[in-house]
Amino acid sequence: GQQVMQIPQYQHVQEGEDFTTYCNSSTTLSNIQWYKQRPGGHPVFLIQLVKSGEVKKQKRLTFQFGEAKKNSSLHITATQTTDVGTYFCAGNTGGFKTIFGAGTRLFVKA
Amino acid sequence: DAGVIQSPRHEVTEMGQEVTLRCKPISGHDYLFWYRQTMMRGLELLIYFNNNVPIDDSGMPEDRFSAKMPNASFSTLKIQPSEPRDSAVYFCASSWDRTYNEQFFGPGTRLTVL
């Protein structure tokens, strides 16, 4: 079945360093979403990418969707302690069935 | 808007007991999702509904699990009988935009089966 692989599983950074998480799908996706889950919280939608090669920015966050629509990345520039949490990608091949990656948990040391 | 509402927030029960989790989606949303989150398996989609009709229940682990949506503002996920391996956080989420799949998650129910 469809799988969405996400790496790394964990990332420890010093505040001010950059952070990147990568997502790869076994099948071509119609779109990909990114969510953030704070410790003890629930996933919160960040963004959706639909077009091949799409790049979107939200302040210090940059999201990319690969040309083949099978991979994606989230890059955070100059991390802050408020960025702590788990970042999930979620792939969709059509309809509303969404497959979540395992998530990358980000730790930021002040 | 109150967002997606789930109850109870925490549930502790003994193996073999019936457990019922409840969800109220955001008003106007016509898609409702049930997820289970564990350390080992991550976030898994169990089932989702569109206009109260189950569309895909391929993620429901076994016959002990059942989900219903009797109306647009209420859904239940039932486990009968419960087992320790069912311990997890269960999230309900809702969505409405067919071209933009943003899902709004509830706070979750943390289930512990002893």
Side-chain angles (χ1 to χ4, degrees), chain B residues 53-111:
Chain B
V53 177
I55 302 300
D56 189 330
D57 65 354
S58 60
M60 295 286 264
E62 49 196 273
D63 292 345
R64 298 184 297 106
F65 286 69
S66 63
K68 294 182 179 180
M69 192 165 186
N71 57 62
S73 59
F74 183 66
S75 177
T76 60
L77 178 67
K78 187 175 292 187
I79 308 173
Q80 167 62 21
S82 58
E83 297 181 3
R85 60 191 169 123
D86 301 331
S87 297
V89 179
Y90 291 81
F91 288 105
C92 174
S94 69
S95 182
W96 66 274
D97 191 331
R98 288 160 181 77
T99 59
Y100 203 75
N101 297 354
E102 176 178 0
Q103 295 181 27
F104 295 82
F105 281 74
T109 295
R110 181 172 294 276
L111 173 65

Side-chain angles (χ1 to χ4, degrees), chain A residues 83-109:
Chain A
D83 295 326
V84 164
T86 301
Y87 293 84
F88 293 95
C89 61
N92 195 302
T93 56
F96 269 76
K97 184 170 185 176
T98 305
I99 307 298
F100 279 75
T104 296
R105 186 162 184 181
L106 174 65
F107 299 86
V108 180
K109 185 176 181 181

Side-chain angles (χ1 to χ4, degrees), chain A residues 66-78:
Chain A
E67 293 291 338
K69 300 183 73 173
K70 296 179 75 172
N71 59 74
S72 182
S73 65
L74 158 59
H75 180 81
I76 301 178
T77 303

Side-chain angles (χ1 to χ4, degrees), chain A residues 21-35:
Chain A
T21 173
Y22 301 89
C23 194
N24 285 286
S25 170
S26 57
T27 57
T28 302
L29 301 171
S30 58
N31 62 68
I32 194 160
Q33 302 162 33
W34 286 91
Y35 290 79

Side-chain angles (χ1 to χ4, degrees), chain A:
Chain A
Q2 180 194 355
Q3 289 187 320
V4 175
M5 309 299 292
Q6 192 173 351
I7 57 170
Q9 189 176 4
Y10 302 97
Q11 184 81 57
H12 292 258
V13 300
Q14 195 76 30
E15 189 174 26
E17 293 181 339
D18 292 357
F19 160 77
T20 304
T21 173
Y22 301 89
C23 194
N24 285 286
S25 170
S26 57
T27 57
T28 302
L29 301 171
S30 58
N31 62 68
I32 194 160
Q33 302 162 33
W34 286 91
Y35 290 79
K36 177 183 178 181
Q37 185 176 20
R38 294 183 183 276
H42 57 276
V44 175
F45 177 85
L46 294 177
I47 206 162
Q48 176 171 276
L49 305 173
V50 179
K51 299 177 182 177
S52 170
E54 189 170 16
V55 178
K56 287 188 176 181
K57 292 190 176 184
Q58 290 180 350
K59 299 182 180 179
R60 296 178 293 103
L61 277 61
T62 302
F63 304 84
Q64 292 187 320
F65 201 10
E67 293 291 338
K69 300 183 73 173
K70 296 179 75 172
N71 59 74
S72 182
S73 65
L74 158 59
H75 180 81
I76 301 178
T77 303
T79 55
Q80 300 175 359
T81 54
T82 54
D83 295 326
V84 164
T86 301
Y87 293 84
F88 293 95
C89 61
N92 195 302
T93 56
F96 269 76
K97 184 170 185 176
T98 305
I99 307 298
F100 279 75
T104 296
R105 186 162 184 181
L106 174 65
F107 299 86
V108 180
K109 185 176 181 181

